[in-house]
Amino acid sequence: MIAGAAFCAALFLFSGAMLAREYLDQKQSAEAFVEVADLVKEDGELPVLELDGEPVQKPEELMAFEKYADVYAQNSDLVGWVSIPGTRIDYPVMQTRDNPNFYLKHAFDKSYSSYGVPYMQENCDIGISDNLVLYGHHMNNGSMFSDLCKYESESFYQEHKTIRFDTLDSFGEYEVIAAFKTVAYSEEGFKYYHFVRAEQEEDFNAFIAKCKELALYDTGVTAEYGDQLTSFDAEADDYITKPFSMVLLGKRITALLRRSGKSPELSQIQFGDITVNFSGYTAWNREGQIDLTPKEIELLKLLVEHKGLVLTRSQILDELWGYDTPVIDRTVDTYIKNLRKKLNLDRIVTVKGVGYKYEETI
């Protein structure tokens, strides 16, 4: 009897210790994310030059990297920020290619945490992959990706039809195509996470069809080959023996290089003896006119207007061709090659695995 009482007492103490540890982890996780969120800049936070006798300049719109620069400075594993207005989802997104599930059990500062940080699948490439896969815990206290499970209700979806996923290159908004459940990492489940890049249009269409087939309700939204997709996965232990994933599939509907507004219109640029007139769609040097296509001129203008900023192929395609046009990533490579050749231009720099940027001096 004494032994039984001692066992119960030990069990009670152990349970109490575990509860205390869980509470401390929860508190530390919440406080850490508040600190990280405070590093995110908002429009108007950059310094504005004021000159005597001159009107006060309007603050420039922040670009994506400027908005999250201080967060990235704290941890270079940062690849983006995910949020859903009206929910608790408002978190950084990490990626570790050489240690795929590191942030499953680690905090933003890389210390151990059962809450982890939302993270991107290791084989996903922003601007290249057709489907970016993001993971987050479904925590009992309602934090992390728990609110994704509310999409089981169609009425909740009707009030939260879009998800924001900003990368360091651009601001993005995603329209929910489908919400579905699948048994996590089981032969029975739908291995949606295996679809990262479509080898051909048929593969893309088959993936969309399967997601729509599993959908809990019809959103009326679909996607076409060339659309940028992101899958948001909230892993939940809803069933003791078969934990499931609540998955949202989203289609990017905006990929804004700036939140709003445009830079002052750039009409002309000159380098060496070459002049390019953007408004007149003409280019010339001492020998006469240079034969540039309208799209080549528009591409050069886009790069120059975003001088120093790396633009991904998908951003360039979206800005110049639009998602409804059946072009592929390599189209951009061809146009870049033509620009370099025709203008003898070394100011367009290739950033391997990402995209291109324009630099004044090389």
Side-chain angles (χ1 to χ4, degrees):
M1 186 173 182
I2 295 176
F7 174 78
C8 289
L11 183 61
F12 177 80
L13 290 173
F14 176 77
S15 299
M18 292 300 292
L19 287 173
R21 178 180 175 180
E22 172 67 18
Y23 172 77
L24 181 60
D25 192 12
Q26 175 181 326
K27 183 173 182 293
Q28 290 176 337
S29 176
E31 290 174 349
F33 282 123
V34 169
E35 292 176 2
V36 173
D38 285 343
L39 296 174
V40 178
K41 289 187 176 72
E42 298 298 336
D43 290 336
E45 289 190 24
L46 294 181
V48 176
L49 180 64
E50 296 185 23
L51 302 174
D52 292 339
E54 296 289 336
V56 177
Q57 298 178 25
K58 182 181 178 181
E60 289 188 5
E61 303 284 352
L62 288 176
M63 302 189 79
F65 186 79
E66 292 172 329
K67 182 178 177 69
Y68 300 107
D70 290 347
V71 184
Y72 182 80
Q74 292 291 319
N75 189 334
S76 59
D77 291 338
L78 179 80
V79 294
W81 195 281
V82 62
S83 61
I84 304 178
T87 74
R88 295 178 64 176
I89 296 175
D90 189 18
Y91 297 109
V93 177
M94 320 301 286
Q95 186 181 41
T96 47
R97 295 181 183 278
D98 57 345
N99 192 358
N101 297 315
F102 179 80
Y103 285 100
L104 182 69
K105 293 293 183 181
H106 287 84
F108 182 82
D109 65 0
K110 301 186 179 183
S111 62
Y112 178 83
S113 171
S114 60
Y115 284 73
V117 186
Y119 64 97
M120 182 183 295
Q121 191 164 283
E122 72 280 1
N123 62 339
C124 293
D125 292 294
I126 293 172
I128 298 176
S129 298
D130 295 298
N131 182 35
L132 303 175
V133 184
L134 274 55
Y135 299 99
H137 283 299
H138 172 202
M139 304 305 292
N140 291 330
N141 69 346
S143 65
M144 307 311 294
F145 273 14
S146 296
D147 279 348
L148 288 187
C149 294
K150 295 180 180 179
Y151 278 91
E152 190 170 355
S153 164
E154 186 174 359
S155 61
F156 183 85
Y157 157 74
Q158 292 294 340
E159 296 177 358
H160 306 84
K161 291 185 176 182
T162 59
I163 301 173
R164 286 206 65 89
F165 176 45
D166 299 338
T167 68
L168 299 181
D169 293 323
S170 65
F171 300 106
E173 189 172 10
Y174 288 75
E175 190 175 19
V176 176
I177 296 174
F180 61 88
K181 288 183 179 181
T182 184
V183 181
Y185 309 107
S186 165
E187 290 302 318
E188 303 173 35
F190 173 40
K191 299 179 179 62
Y192 75 91
Y193 43 85
H194 285 177
F195 179 79
V196 173
R197 184 158 185 149
E199 294 298 328
Q200 53 192 353
E201 185 173 355
E202 289 76 9
D203 298 335
F204 186 93
N205 293 339
F207 175 74
I208 295 297
K210 183 63 177 179
C211 292
K212 298 287 283 183
E213 175 189 327
L214 295 174
L216 299 171
Y217 43 82
D218 183 14
T219 63
V221 180
T222 189
E224 297 179 353
Y225 185 55
D227 283 339
Q228 171 67 67
L229 307 174
T230 295
S231 299
F232 305 87
D233 183 326
E235 298 180 355
D237 295 327
D238 189 56
Y239 306 103
I240 295 175
T241 57
K242 293 183 179 180
F244 78 92
S245 287
M246 182 72 185
V247 182
L248 295 188
L249 179 67
K251 173 182 72 173
R252 186 167 63 177
I253 53 178
T254 59
L256 306 177
L257 297 175
R258 294 183 174 86
R259 279 195 175 274
S260 61
K262 295 185 73 72
S263 299
E265 190 70 18
L266 182 64
S267 61
Q268 187 168 291
I269 189 172
Q270 186 170 3
F271 30 87
D273 70 334
I274 296 175
T275 300
V276 179
N277 185 293
F278 295 119
S279 57
Y281 283 83
T282 55
W284 63 90
N285 59 16
R286 294 192 191 97
E287 299 177 1
Q289 186 167 326
I290 301 173
D291 184 21
L292 291 181
T293 68
K295 197 63 72 176
E296 288 168 350
I297 290 177
E298 290 172 4
L299 174 56
L300 178 61
K301 181 181 180 184
L302 180 68
L303 291 168
V304 172
E305 285 182 333
H306 298 89
K307 179 177 60 181
L309 176 70
V310 180
L311 302 184
T312 65
R313 291 179 177 86
S314 63
Q315 285 176 323
I316 294 171
L317 288 172
D318 181 37
E319 291 288 324
L320 299 185
W321 280 271
Y323 279 121
D324 293 332
T325 304
V327 292
I328 59 176
D329 288 352
R330 296 307 170 192
T331 300
V332 176
D333 298 342
T334 300
Y335 275 82
I336 292 290
K337 181 180 178 180
N338 290 342
L339 275 176
R340 287 170 171 164
K341 183 177 180 180
K342 292 179 180 181
L343 300 178
N344 192 25
L345 188 62
D346 61 357
R347 299 186 185 190
I348 300 176
V349 179
T350 301
V351 180
K352 189 174 181 180
V354 183
Y356 299 96
K357 66 177 177 177
Y358 179 89
E359 294 283 14
E360 285 287 3
T361 56
I362 303 299

